[in-house]
Amino acid sequence: MTKLRIVSICPSNTELLDALGLFDQVVGVDDYSDWPAEKVKDLPKLGPDLNINMERLQELQPDLVIASLSVPGMEKNVDRLQELNIPYLVLNPKTIDDIYGDIRTLGAACGVPERAQQLVAELQSKVERIQEKARSIKQAAPKLYWEWWPRPIFTPANANWLTPISDLAGGINLFGDKPGDSYTAEHEEVIERAPDYMFAVWCGVHADKVKTTMITEREGYTAIPAVQNGRVYVLEEGLYCRPSQRLFQGLEELVDLLDPERS
């Protein structure tokens, strides 16, 4: 089979292409695609995911562009690809099952359906193992506050993968009762809901640029159990904000983090 020239314009898509063994066919990526680092560093960068340089993309003569609607505002990329008559595939996962489905869809589109099915099976087995581990941890389900952005506060709601990720790890997404993908919360709501753990996963911001004090020193936050018990963490956003195979690594690390017996 002739190899495709593939362009990815979303970090999670880039990561899925690597998991499917297709990275040697990737000829360009968006600016935020940073993993696997050793493979993406020399590829042409086409701009931030919400402002892709379509002229530069056309110059790469792709056979297929892997687009995404996982971030609000990406619709305009899809509209432009359609206008320019560039072949594309759109992924828009919201749940764990959606990610499995996207892997199969991507594998079929790129001629590696068997590898896609194998990858899904591997991830499903990993989830089963993690669930068993989470069940062995004897504690009431802790309330988990995820912060995607600080001003205003954006946090995942019911229709986002971090709700089932929280459940699989033995916890509860603090705003999982809110409809939609995300919720704009007020500080008073966070304080009132009294999370047991707080996780800063600011989208597009490396963990070393964020300090826990940016959360703990907010007015009124000293009343929150997570702050009182030293359970405020800055996590690698790439393991929790991107619907790729790396999300399952994040799940595994989350279970360890929630273990009350951890040192």
Side-chain angles (χ1 to χ4, degrees):
M1 179 179 175
T2 304
K3 287 188 174 182
L4 298 174
R5 291 177 60 82
I6 302 172
V7 167
S8 169
I9 54 174
C10 179
S12 56
N13 294 348
T14 305
E15 293 165 10
L16 288 176
L17 288 165
D18 183 62
L20 289 170
L22 294 166
F23 215 91
D24 63 331
Q25 300 180 50
V26 178
V27 296
V29 295
D30 65 283
D31 287 2
Y32 294 140
S33 286
D34 57 4
W35 193 94
E38 70 280 2
K39 296 181 181 179
V40 300
K41 63 183 178 67
D42 296 324
L43 285 173
K45 302 298 191 297
L46 302 173
D49 53 10
L50 295 181
N51 192 25
I52 297 297
N53 185 331
M54 289 294 169
E55 290 183 2
R56 181 73 180 100
L57 186 151
Q58 283 183 294
E59 291 172 0
L60 296 174
Q61 299 182 319
D63 298 304
L64 184 64
V65 177
I66 313 301
S68 176
L69 296 179
S70 62
V71 174
M74 287 191 179
E75 293 84 358
K76 69 177 183 179
N77 289 329
V78 177
D79 291 342
R80 284 293 288 148
L81 290 169
Q82 194 164 4
E83 289 171 9
L84 296 169
N85 201 29
I86 298 173
Y88 66 89
L89 174 67
V90 181
L91 304 181
N92 186 23
K94 300 183 185 300
T95 67
I96 300 268
D97 285 339
D98 287 345
I99 295 172
Y100 295 149
D102 281 350
I103 291 171
R104 295 188 184 99
T105 299
L106 187 56
C110 298
V112 290
E114 298 85 3
R115 172 55 188 146
Q117 189 53 47
Q118 178 186 353
L119 176 58
V120 169
E122 291 169 358
L123 294 175
Q124 289 173 329
S125 295
K126 186 171 189 175
V127 166
E128 289 175 6
R129 293 195 304 272
I130 293 170
Q131 274 188 291
E132 285 300 316
K133 184 174 183 179
R135 290 191 193 105
S136 71
I137 300 173
K138 305 301 181 185
Q139 65 172 338
K143 294 181 290 184
L144 314 181
Y145 168 66
W146 300 91
E147 186 169 284
W148 276 339
W149 200 248
R151 292 181 302 275
I153 292 175
F154 280 111
T155 185
N158 180 264
N160 179 266
W161 54 82
L162 280 176
T163 294
I165 285 290
S166 298
D167 293 340
L168 289 167
I172 300 170
N173 175 15
L174 191 69
F175 288 98
D177 60 324
K178 298 296 184 180
D181 299 326
S182 64
Y183 178 68
T184 304
E186 299 293 336
H187 291 293
E188 292 75 14
E189 292 177 278
V190 178
I191 296 167
E192 182 180 341
R193 291 189 175 221
D196 300 296
Y197 289 82
M198 305 180 78
F199 303 123
V201 284
W202 295 357
C203 295
V205 181
H206 288 287
D208 60 3
K209 302 293 185 184
V210 185
K211 300 185 186 331
T212 58
T213 53
M214 295 176 178
I215 293 176
T216 60
E217 293 182 358
R218 292 172 183 167
E219 184 177 354
Y221 274 42
T222 53
I224 296 175
V227 176
Q228 294 174 349
N229 296 318
R231 290 176 172 173
V232 180
Y233 298 92
V234 177
L235 303 182
E236 184 181 347
E237 62 94 20
L239 298 182
Y240 298 97
C241 297
R242 302 178 185 181
S244 76
Q245 73 279 7
R246 297 181 71 212
L247 188 65
F248 298 83
Q249 178 187 339
L251 169 59
E252 194 163 31
E253 294 185 10
L254 180 62
V255 171
D256 289 338
L257 195 59
L258 299 183
D259 186 348
E261 298 300 318
R262 69 189 288 268
S263 55

